[in-house]
Amino acid sequence: MTFLAKNKKNIAILFGIVAFWAVIYYVRDLPLTPPNGVSFGGDTRSYVDSIGLIKTGLLPRPDFTPNRLLTNFAYLKLLMLFDALGIFWLGWIALNSLFYILSGFILYKIIYRIFNSDKVAVIGVALYLGNYVAVTFGLHYLTDMGSFMFYLAAAYFSLEYIYTQKESNIYWAGVMTGTGGLFKEYALGGYFIIVGALLYTAYSQNKKILRSLVIATLMSFVPVALVHLSVYLQYHYTYLDFYNFMRVQPSHAYHSKIIEHTKALGYMYNVGFILFGYSLYLICKNRIKYFDDKTLAYLIIIFISASPIFMYPGITERLDFIVAPFLILISCVAIKEHENRWTWFLPLVAVYLVASFCMDEYILQPEWEQTLVGFIKNII
């Protein structure tokens, strides 16, 4: 049997994801070069300035901090390669597009493994790739998408470990976590999944895990530790310095972090919470119908792996996107329940996509938010 024949389904799924990316990118209409030859604002500038620091050794401005060298080392090195090839901006968006496509494919494999349904997996992937954060920040001159992809890869290999008990899967999860940690720190959440998978196996199978845990830990943290050591020796700067800097920012002085996270998650997942709420109802009615003990343990582990984001000083939709895989996996229960009538969900997915594209306009218009908050306060 030829390679194409053996991987016919995977190729079809990848083709579908690429087609979805093409449509999203066309609608997104992101320029392949900065407007008027100047850099984009926001975080994009800090990445460009960090590359200048690596090249020259000189701080681009007095208030500049080398935190991007700690958190985005691999991304910066790849961007330097693109710059040397004369394709800096094109290479950047192409790299993020690759991570975007691979993220969708990996999530498809996870959902299919759990629910054994192409229809459920396809809708779940649409919820992920069509998410406000994925289309607005993932396909942009930022560094989030790569780390999300490696996080999902670690989640996939950990799931395979739980199901098959093959130690190679947990080591691959460690490789994905360690590599992803060089792109952005989101991926380090994969280590919580690794530990959770090993602990569950030790509990349920009475299996010794110390050797696997040590090896996976080294794979997860040695690359990141070497980068952090190098930055400290060169600039006397640590992640604790960065964390303390973020903690005292006036923009992070929230009246209630619970309310702010609720708003961020609402913006990020919008009408997807209809599926999530209905799925929780179905699970409470009959959990065994949808999840065996292995899968339930895995879902709990996924939530735990994302929960450290709630302790981070800043609160944004981009940061809370790490919770999206958990929300989508739970939401897939509703789709599985009505799998034979999966077309019912297409209008909801369409509204979800439209909301994702319109969310920036809503968030960036403060009078809309003030009106909504005032309306809610009057009700309360």
Side-chain angles (χ1 to χ4, degrees):
M1 188 178 290
T2 65
F3 173 82
L4 290 176
K6 288 176 65 176
N7 294 275
K8 184 176 176 182
K9 180 178 174 181
N10 287 336
I11 293 171
I13 294 300
L14 270 174
F15 180 82
I17 292 172
V18 170
F20 188 91
W21 162 82
V23 172
I24 294 293
Y25 191 83
Y26 175 79
V27 176
R28 192 74 176 79
D29 194 27
L30 181 68
L32 294 179
T33 56
N36 302 320
V38 299
S39 297
F40 290 101
D43 287 351
T44 303
R45 181 189 176 192
S46 68
Y47 302 125
V48 176
D49 288 346
S50 295
I51 292 172
L53 173 61
I54 295 174
K55 288 181 176 179
T56 65
L58 301 175
L59 294 175
R61 53 186 185 276
D63 62 342
F64 184 80
T65 57
N67 58 290
R68 300 301 183 190
L69 275 64
L70 290 173
T71 59
N72 307 101
F73 180 80
Y75 245 119
L76 296 178
K77 288 295 184 180
L78 287 172
L79 293 179
M80 290 175 67
L81 173 62
F82 297 148
D83 192 32
L85 295 174
I87 57 168
F88 182 77
W89 299 103
L90 178 61
W92 194 343
I93 203 65
L95 180 63
N96 279 340
S97 294
L98 176 63
F99 287 142
Y100 178 89
I101 291 166
L102 291 177
S103 294
F105 183 71
I106 294 168
L107 184 63
Y108 170 87
K109 302 292 282 186
I110 292 173
I111 297 174
Y112 185 84
R113 189 74 159 103
I114 292 174
F115 293 96
N116 193 32
S117 168
D118 288 312
K119 296 170 185 175
V120 174
V122 166
I123 294 177
V125 170
L127 292 174
Y128 188 80
L129 296 183
N131 186 276
Y132 162 61
V133 173
V135 301
T136 305
F137 305 108
L139 295 176
H140 194 63
Y141 300 104
L142 297 167
T143 61
D144 302 85
M145 209 67 226
S147 193
F148 290 137
M149 189 277 288
F150 282 107
Y151 170 79
L152 286 174
Y156 169 72
F157 283 114
S158 296
L159 176 63
E160 286 298 315
Y161 173 75
I162 289 175
Y163 280 7
T164 67
Q165 305 299 305
K166 289 183 180 178
E167 286 196 20
S168 60
N169 283 316
I170 213 68
Y171 299 148
W172 275 114
V175 170
M176 294 298 107
T177 300
T179 305
L182 299 177
F183 283 80
K184 202 164 189 177
E185 61 266 46
Y186 300 125
L188 296 178
Y191 183 69
F192 291 94
I193 308 177
I194 291 171
V195 173
L198 287 170
L199 290 175
Y200 173 77
T201 300
Y203 172 77
S204 62
Q205 305 293 328
N206 194 27
K207 185 176 181 179
K208 295 180 179 179
I209 62 168
L210 182 59
R211 177 176 175 274
S212 299
L213 179 60
V214 170
I215 294 174
T217 300
L218 292 174
M219 289 177 167
S220 298
F221 289 107
V222 166
V224 177
L226 291 175
V227 169
H228 281 232
L229 178 61
S230 174
V231 172
Y232 176 75
L233 293 176
Q234 287 183 276
Y235 304 102
H236 302 287
Y237 191 84
T238 69
Y239 194 83
L240 183 60
D241 295 320
F242 172 59
Y243 181 87
N244 287 331
F245 170 78
M246 295 296 291
R247 189 169 55 83
V248 298
Q249 293 303 299
S251 59
H252 296 161
Y254 304 109
H255 176 69
S256 170
K257 295 192 74 171
I258 294 176
I259 292 176
E260 293 302 321
H261 275 297
T262 301
K263 288 164 56 180
L265 289 169
Y267 295 147
M268 184 267 290
Y269 201 49
N270 61 79
V271 298
F273 276 108
I274 296 174
L275 286 175
F276 182 78
Y278 179 45
S279 295
L280 286 181
Y281 166 75
L282 293 172
I283 293 169
C284 290
K285 278 185 62 178
N286 189 359
R287 190 269 296 179
I288 300 298
K289 180 179 178 181
Y290 307 103
F291 302 135
D292 58 16
D293 289 342
K294 289 181 179 179
T295 305
L296 179 63
Y298 178 75
L299 291 171
I300 294 172
I301 292 167
I302 290 292
F303 177 76
I304 292 173
S305 74
S307 60
I309 203 64
F310 299 123
M311 294 181 285
Y312 191 76
I315 302 173
T316 67
E317 297 77 29
R318 281 170 62 192
L319 293 170
D320 283 0
F321 186 58
I322 197 69
V323 185
F326 171 77
L327 295 175
I328 291 169
L329 288 174
I330 296 296
S331 299
C332 283
V333 169
I335 306 165
K336 181 65 177 178
E337 174 68 18
H338 302 285
E339 184 178 4
N340 293 333
R341 298 180 177 85
W342 63 275
T343 55
W344 287 2
F345 298 102
L346 295 184
L348 183 66
V349 173
V351 173
Y352 177 87
L353 294 175
V354 171
S356 293
F357 278 102
C358 296
M359 196 58 68
D360 246 7
E361 183 177 353
Y362 170 75
I363 294 174
L364 298 178
Q365 296 293 328
E367 63 273 13
W368 290 22
E369 185 173 342
Q370 290 169 7
T371 301
L372 180 61
V373 170
F375 176 72
I376 294 173
K377 285 182 177 179
N378 287 334
I379 294 176
I380 297 174

